[in-house]
Tab-separated table of all heavy atoms in Angstrom:
chain	number	residue	atom	x	y	z
I	54	HIS	N	0.131	-123.122	47.249
I	54	HIS	CA	0.409	-122.357	48.456
I	54	HIS	C	1.838	-122.530	48.953
I	54	HIS	O	2.232	-121.894	49.906
I	54	HIS	CB	-0.569	-122.736	49.569
I	54	HIS	CG	-1.990	-122.459	49.202
I	54	HIS	ND1	-2.446	-121.197	48.939
I	54	HIS	CD2	-3.047	-123.290	49.015
I	54	HIS	CE1	-3.740	-121.244	48.630
I	54	HIS	NE2	-4.107	-122.507	48.660
I	55	ALA	N	2.612	-123.407	48.370
I	55	ALA	CA	3.994	-123.589	48.806
I	55	ALA	C	4.895	-123.685	47.591
I	55	ALA	O	4.574	-124.333	46.614
I	55	ALA	CB	4.129	-124.847	49.651
I	56	LEU	N	6.067	-123.030	47.701
I	56	LEU	CA	7.051	-123.144	46.629
I	56	LEU	C	8.016	-124.278	46.976
I	56	LEU	O	9.223	-124.125	46.961
I	56	LEU	CB	7.803	-121.817	46.458
I	56	LEU	CG	6.956	-120.686	45.922
I	56	LEU	CD1	7.814	-119.442	45.725
I	56	LEU	CD2	6.328	-121.067	44.595
I	57	LEU	N	7.461	-125.422	47.295
I	57	LEU	CA	8.258	-126.596	47.619
I	57	LEU	C	7.982	-127.714	46.620
I	57	LEU	O	8.508	-128.807	46.759
I	57	LEU	CB	7.914	-127.084	49.038
I	57	LEU	CG	8.152	-126.084	50.164
I	57	LEU	CD1	7.678	-126.675	51.488
I	57	LEU	CD2	9.617	-125.714	50.265
I	58	LEU	N	7.168	-127.433	45.616
I	58	LEU	CA	6.802	-128.451	44.636
I	58	LEU	C	7.887	-128.531	43.580
I	58	LEU	O	8.052	-127.647	42.752
I	58	LEU	CB	5.448	-128.097	44.001
I	58	LEU	CG	4.292	-127.912	45.006
I	58	LEU	CD1	3.038	-127.512	44.255
I	58	LEU	CD2	4.069	-129.183	45.790
I	59	LEU	N	8.660	-129.600	43.617
I	59	LEU	CA	9.824	-129.688	42.742
I	59	LEU	C	9.442	-129.685	41.270
I	59	LEU	O	10.230	-129.268	40.426
I	59	LEU	CB	10.623	-130.950	43.081
I	59	LEU	CG	11.198	-130.988	44.505
I	59	LEU	CD1	11.984	-132.275	44.707
I	59	LEU	CD2	12.087	-129.783	44.758
I	60	CYS	N	8.243	-130.135	40.952
I	60	CYS	CA	7.838	-130.150	39.553
I	60	CYS	C	7.620	-128.744	39.018
I	60	CYS	O	7.544	-128.543	37.808
I	60	CYS	CB	6.569	-130.971	39.376
I	60	CYS	SG	5.138	-130.318	40.265
I	61	LEU	N	7.529	-127.745	39.883
I	61	LEU	CA	7.295	-126.375	39.451
I	61	LEU	C	8.553	-125.519	39.543
I	61	LEU	O	8.518	-124.357	39.194
I	61	LEU	CB	6.196	-125.736	40.314
I	61	LEU	CG	4.828	-126.393	40.238
I	61	LEU	CD1	3.873	-125.667	41.178
I	61	LEU	CD2	4.305	-126.381	38.823
I	62	ILE	N	9.643	-126.090	40.006
I	62	ILE	CA	10.813	-125.277	40.307
I	62	ILE	C	12.054	-125.877	39.670
I	62	ILE	O	12.277	-127.081	39.730
I	62	ILE	CB	11.029	-125.159	41.833
I	62	ILE	CG1	9.861	-124.406	42.469
I	62	ILE	CG2	12.336	-124.482	42.184
I	62	ILE	CD1	9.953	-124.306	43.960
I	63	THR	N	12.864	-125.034	39.050
I	63	THR	CA	14.189	-125.446	38.614
I	63	THR	C	15.200	-124.573	39.297
I	63	THR	O	14.973	-123.390	39.508
I	63	THR	CB	14.359	-125.310	37.082
I	63	THR	OG1	14.184	-123.947	36.717
I	63	THR	CG2	13.358	-126.167	36.348
I	64	ALA	N	16.330	-125.137	39.675
I	64	ALA	CA	17.356	-124.383	40.394
I	64	ALA	C	18.701	-124.583	39.715
I	64	ALA	O	18.967	-125.606	39.099
I	64	ALA	CB	17.429	-124.828	41.854
I	65	GLN	N	19.569	-123.577	39.839
I	65	GLN	CA	20.899	-123.676	39.286
I	65	GLN	C	21.850	-122.874	40.143
I	65	GLN	O	21.462	-121.955	40.853
I	65	GLN	CB	20.945	-123.173	37.843
I	65	GLN	CG	20.658	-121.674	37.702
I	65	GLN	CD	20.562	-121.243	36.263
I	65	GLN	OE1	19.785	-121.780	35.495
I	65	GLN	NE2	21.352	-120.278	35.887
I	66	SER	N	23.125	-123.254	40.102
I	66	SER	CA	24.152	-122.550	40.866
I	66	SER	C	24.924	-121.637	39.936
I	66	SER	O	25.334	-122.032	38.858
I	66	SER	CB	25.118	-123.548	41.512
I	66	SER	OG	26.166	-122.866	42.154
Side-chain angles (χ1 to χ4, degrees):
H54 299 298
L56 292 183
L57 300 176
L58 304 178
L59 298 181
C60 62
L61 298 178
I62 295 177
T63 61
Q65 66 186 55
S66 175

